[in-house]
C-alpha cells in the first residue's frame, strides 16, 4: 500500500504563510532603518541624484545576478504595467526627491511630511484596490504617526525648513504611496523577485541622467561613503525590497504601509548602538508609540468561537435495547 504525505490542514498552512510574511516584513523594516545610518555617510559625498543612481545600479546588478543564477525569465506581460509604474515612482523618483528634500528641511519636518506616506497608501489601497480600512488599522496608524513625528522633532537640530523642501518631501511621500499601490496588482502575476528586479532596473534607467555626477563624485568620495552607497543597493534595496514584495503579496497595502512605522523606532536604536547618539526621553517615548501603533494596526479582532451544539439524544434501537 502506497503511503502519502498528509496534507496540512488549511488553518495550519495559512498560519505558516502569515508567519513567513511577518518575517519578511521584519527583515524589510530592519534593513530600511539601517539605511538611514548609511545615508548619513554617503550623503556627505554624493549628491541626491548620484546617490540614488549608485544605489539602484548596485541593487539592479545584485538582483540581476540572482535572477541569472535562478534562470528566471521575463515577468508576465500582465505584470509590466505595475512594475513600470512602481519603478518610476518608487525606485526612481522617490529616491531622488527624498534625498533632495532631506537636505532642505530638518528631521522633524521630514518626519512629519514623509510619514504621511503610509496613510496615503491605506487611502489609495481602499480606493483603487478595494482594501478594507478596519478601525484597528486606522487607530494604529494614528498612534504610529504621532510617534514618528515625536521622534523626528526630538532628534531635529536647529536647521530651518524651506517651503521647497517640504514640497519635495510631500512629493516623495506621494510617490512612495503610488508606487506601493501600483506594485500590489503586479504581484498577482509575477514573483516578488521579478517585481523587485525589474522595478529597480526601471528606476536605474530613470536616474541615468545623473551618471556624470556619479562618476565625478565617486573619484573624490572617501571609500567609506562609496561602500555605504553599495550597501544601500545590496541590502536596503535588493534584499529589503524583495522581502517587502513577498510580504505585500500576502497582505493588504495598508497593513504593510503601517508596518513601516516601526522604522523610526529602529533608527533610534541603531543610532544609539552604531553612532553613540543617546536618545532622550521624548525620543524613546516616540519610538514606543511607533511600535505600539504597529502592533495595534497588525492585530486582528478575535472572533468568539461558537459553542458546539449538543447532539440530539437518540433512542436505542430495539436490537440494542434487547441486549441491555
Amino acid at each position: 500500500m502506497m503511503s502519502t504525505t498528509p496534507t496540512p490542514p488549511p488553518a495550519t498552512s495559512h498560519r505558516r504563510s502569515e508567519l513567513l510574511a511577518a518575517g519578511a516584513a521584519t527583515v524589510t523594516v530592519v534593513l530600511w532603518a539601517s539605511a538611514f545610518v548609511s545615508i548619513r555617510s554617503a550623503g556627505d559625498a554624493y549628491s541626491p541624484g548620484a546617490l540614488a543612481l549608485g544605489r539602484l545600479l548596485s541593487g539592479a546588478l545584485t538582483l540581476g545576478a540572482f535572477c541569472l543564477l535562478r534562470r528566471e525569465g521575463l515577468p508576465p506581460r500582465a505584470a509590466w504595467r505595475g512594475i513600470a509604474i512602481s519603478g518610476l515612482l518608487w525606485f526612481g523618483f522617490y529616491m531622488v526627491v527624498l534625498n533632495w528634500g532631506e537636505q532642505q528641511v530638518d528631521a522633524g519636518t521630514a518626519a512629519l511630511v514623509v510619514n504621511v506616506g503610509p496613510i496615503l497608501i491605506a487611502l489609495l489601497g481602499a480606493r483603487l484596490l478595494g482594501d478594507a480600512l478596519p478601525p484597528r488599522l486606522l487607530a494604529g496608524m494614528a498612534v504610529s504617526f504621532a510617534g514618528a513625528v515625536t521622534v523626528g522633532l526630538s532628534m531635529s537640530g536647529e536647521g530651518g525648513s524651506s517651503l521647497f523642501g517640504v514640497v519635495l518631501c510631500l512629493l516623495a511621500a506621494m510617490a512612495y504611496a503610488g508606487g506601493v499601490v501600483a506594485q500590489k496588482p503586479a504581484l498577482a502575476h509575477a514573483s516578488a523577485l521579478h517585481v523587485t528586479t525589474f522595478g529597480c532596473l526601471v528606476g536605474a534607467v530613470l536616474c541615468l541622467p545623473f551618471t556624470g555626477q556619479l562618476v565625478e563624485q565617486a573619484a573624490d568620495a572617501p571609500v567609506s561613503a562609496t561602500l555605504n552607497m553599495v550597501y544601500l543597493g545590496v541590502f536596503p534595496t535588493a534584499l529589503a525590497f524583495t522581502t517587502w514584495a513577498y510580504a505585500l503579496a500576502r497582505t493588504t497595502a495598508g497593513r504593510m504601509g503601517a508596518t513601516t512605522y516601526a522604522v523610526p523606532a529602529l533608527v533610534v536604536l541603531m543610532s544609539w548602538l552604531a553612532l553613540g547618539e543617546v536618545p532622550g526621553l521624548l525620543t524613546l517615548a516616540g519610538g514606543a508609540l511607533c511600535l505600539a501603533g504597529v502592533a495595534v494596526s497588525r492585530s486582528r479582532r478575535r472572533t468568539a468561537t461558537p459553542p458546539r451544539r449538543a447532539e440530539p439524544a437518540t433512542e436505542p434501537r430495539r436490537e440494542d435495547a434487547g441486549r441491555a
Side-chain angles (χ1 to χ4, degrees):
M1 183 175 179
M2 183 179 295
S3 61
T4 58
T5 303
T7 303
T12 303
S13 178
H14 179 69
R15 179 60 178 168
R16 180 174 179 272
S17 179
E18 283 190 337
L19 290 175
L20 288 174
T26 301
V27 171
T28 297
V29 297
V30 170
L31 290 177
W32 283 356
S34 74
F36 285 86
V37 179
S38 294
I39 287 173
R40 290 191 184 186
S41 171
D44 291 335
Y46 290 96
S47 62
L51 178 58
L53 176 59
R55 175 178 179 176
L56 289 168
L57 286 177
S58 300
L61 288 173
T62 302
L63 290 165
F66 198 69
C67 285
L68 288 176
L69 290 174
R70 290 174 54 90
R71 297 182 179 180
E72 298 279 350
L74 294 174
R77 182 178 299 179
W80 270 107
R81 182 173 181 270
I83 290 174
I85 294 175
S86 64
L88 290 171
L89 290 179
W90 195 9
F91 287 86
F93 184 79
Y94 166 81
M95 289 194 181
V96 176
V97 174
L98 181 62
N99 291 342
W100 194 2
E102 290 192 348
Q103 292 181 354
Q104 307 292 321
V105 300
D106 62 29
T109 304
L112 174 62
V113 180
V114 174
N115 279 292
V116 172
I119 298 174
L120 295 177
I121 290 173
L123 296 177
L124 287 175
R127 175 65 176 170
L128 301 178
L129 305 177
D131 291 346
L133 289 176
R136 286 175 180 265
L137 174 62
L138 296 176
M141 293 182 77
V143 173
S144 290
F145 180 71
V149 174
T150 302
V151 170
L153 291 174
S154 64
M155 297 181 71
S156 61
E158 298 178 356
S161 297
S162 68
L163 178 60
F164 181 58
V166 171
V167 172
L168 288 174
C169 289
L170 182 59
L171 288 174
M174 295 171 64
Y176 162 46
V180 171
V181 174
Q183 190 184 61
K184 174 68 174 175
L187 291 166
H189 306 284
S191 67
L193 180 60
H194 265 140
V195 172
T196 306
T197 300
F198 288 90
C200 187
L201 186 59
V202 169
V205 171
L206 182 66
C207 293
L208 283 179
F210 301 106
T211 302
Q213 293 181 15
L214 176 60
V215 173
E216 180 181 349
Q217 293 167 12
D220 300 326
V223 175
S224 60
T226 302
L227 289 177
N228 273 290
M229 181 177 65
V230 173
Y231 170 82
L232 288 169
V234 175
F235 293 99
T237 302
L239 178 57
F241 273 79
T242 302
T243 53
W244 162 276
Y246 177 88
L248 178 62
R250 290 157 177 79
T251 186
T252 65
R255 282 169 63 87
M256 278 303 295
T259 303
T260 62
Y261 276 126
V263 171
L266 293 175
V267 170
V268 171
L269 178 61
M270 290 180 180
S271 297
W272 187 1
L273 296 176
L275 304 177
E277 298 177 353
V278 181
L281 292 178
L282 188 60
T283 304
L284 292 175
L289 281 176
C290 288
L291 296 178
V294 171
V296 171
S297 65
R298 294 193 64 87
S299 64
R300 295 183 183 274
R301 183 178 179 181
R302 294 185 179 180
T303 56
T305 304
R308 295 185 60 183
R309 301 178 64 178
E311 296 291 336
T314 57
E315 296 182 2
R317 291 182 300 176
R318 291 181 179 179
E319 304 92 294
D320 296 332
R323 294 171 188 165

